[in-house]
Amino acid sequence: MLIAAGCSSDSGDSGSGSGGDKAAGAGATVSASASAAPTVQAAAYKSLPESCAVLSSKTLKSLVPEASKSGKRGTSEAGTRGSCSWSSLDNNGVKGSQFRWLNVSLLRFESDTSRGTGEAQAAKYYEQQIQDAQSVAGAKNTKSQPVSGTGDAATLVRYDLKKKEGAFKQQTVVSRVENVVVTIDYNGAGLAGDKAPSADSLVKLAERATKEAVTAVAAANGEGAASPAPSGSASKAPSKSASPSASASKSASKSASPSKSAAKSG
């Protein structure tokens, strides 16, 4: 009987020690899990300039000479997205008229642990914008080419589009700078018998406007340098459906907005 009691006592002590080890192990696991929380690099740019103020009066005069300088503001959200459009009609009487339409769209992406860095999201959206411009229904003579000296990446998509009002020359320039995508939609047409504008001249003007808009984005963010510390609590970036270029305001002539990314109205 004494031997049996001794064995029972030893067994109880052993069980108590094992339970303590398990508890300590569980605590260590929780601590390790907490310290391994996912993080993501903070986005470089934290704000956007006012969409209707990114272009100088001189530039607007060159692109849309008869338009109001103030422009027509589209759907916007401070610091996240914005768009502005201008419509110009230069009436030459019996000789016809020259029509121009310009739209500037800005979209900023914030870093998020589930979506990735703001820059990666912007790069993906940049490619999608180019594809949208290249796939407009009815477009003829579509051409794409890189644009140098404009942000981190920029592409021009140009094409012709026949409408009942006339033959439109469309230029879409998409540019990415850090975590912001800038889209410039610019088209022109000779209406009521006037000749169509030179596509090459429109290209130069569209590229000029894009470079100016990209510069305005950088200026709105000072040096544009983000803190190197990763952020795990950044707000989610807007979805594609929130694209300002997809919700741009209507131009004076609805049918004169052939670009797929600019034609949709909010």
Side-chain angles (χ1 to χ4, degrees):
M1 290 297 292
L2 290 174
I3 293 173
C7 291
S8 176
S9 176
D10 289 342
S11 176
D13 290 342
S14 175
S16 175
S18 175
D21 290 344
K22 289 181 180 180
T29 300
V30 172
S31 177
S33 176
S35 64
T39 59
V40 63
Q41 182 66 39
Y45 288 159
K46 297 298 183 182
S47 62
L48 290 176
E50 166 55 49
S51 58
C52 290
V54 296
L55 301 180
S56 66
S57 296
K58 183 178 180 180
T59 296
L60 288 173
K61 188 66 177 178
S62 298
L63 274 76
V64 280
E66 302 300 320
S68 168
K69 294 181 180 180
S70 60
K72 184 177 181 181
R73 186 177 289 102
T75 302
S76 64
E77 183 177 343
T80 301
R81 59 175 175 156
S83 68
C84 193
S85 63
W86 295 261
S87 180
S88 171
L89 184 64
D90 187 3
N91 194 331
N92 298 312
V94 295
K95 294 182 179 180
S97 57
Q98 285 292 317
F99 177 80
R100 300 288 186 275
W101 186 77
L102 170 67
N103 186 78
V104 177
S105 297
L106 309 170
L107 185 60
R108 186 184 70 85
F109 292 87
E110 186 61 87
S111 294
D112 181 82
T113 54
S114 63
R115 296 172 182 265
T117 66
E119 182 176 342
Q121 295 176 68
K124 183 178 181 179
Y125 180 72
Y126 165 79
E127 294 295 340
Q128 185 59 57
Q129 284 289 83
I130 295 172
Q131 292 178 22
D132 286 349
Q134 294 171 331
S135 59
V136 172
K140 302 293 183 182
N141 305 316
T142 302
K143 298 178 182 179
S144 301
Q145 62 191 64
V147 179
S148 62
T150 307
D152 297 308
T155 299
L156 162 71
V157 180
R158 53 190 291 187
Y159 54 84
D160 300 331
L161 194 64
K162 185 71 174 179
K163 291 282 187 176
K164 63 180 181 180
E165 294 83 4
F168 289 83
K169 303 289 184 178
Q170 171 72 29
Q171 329 299 319
T172 297
V173 185
V174 186
S175 179
R176 181 186 68 79
V177 53
E178 297 289 358
N179 55 309
V180 175
V181 176
V182 176
T183 303
I184 299 291
D185 283 296
Y186 182 51
N187 64 56
L191 307 180
D194 205 348
K195 65 179 181 179
S198 165
D200 289 340
S201 64
L202 296 183
V203 165
K204 292 179 181 179
L205 290 171
E207 290 181 350
R208 171 183 168 183
T210 305
K211 291 179 180 180
E212 199 166 299
V214 167
T215 298
V217 171
N221 288 273
E223 295 182 358
S227 169
S231 170
S233 60
S235 60
K236 293 185 178 181
S239 65
K240 180 182 176 184
S241 62
S243 160
S245 61
S247 58
S249 59
K250 296 179 181 178
S251 66
S253 174
K254 183 178 180 181
S255 62
S257 306
S259 168
K260 182 177 181 180
S261 62
K264 298 177 183 179
S265 59

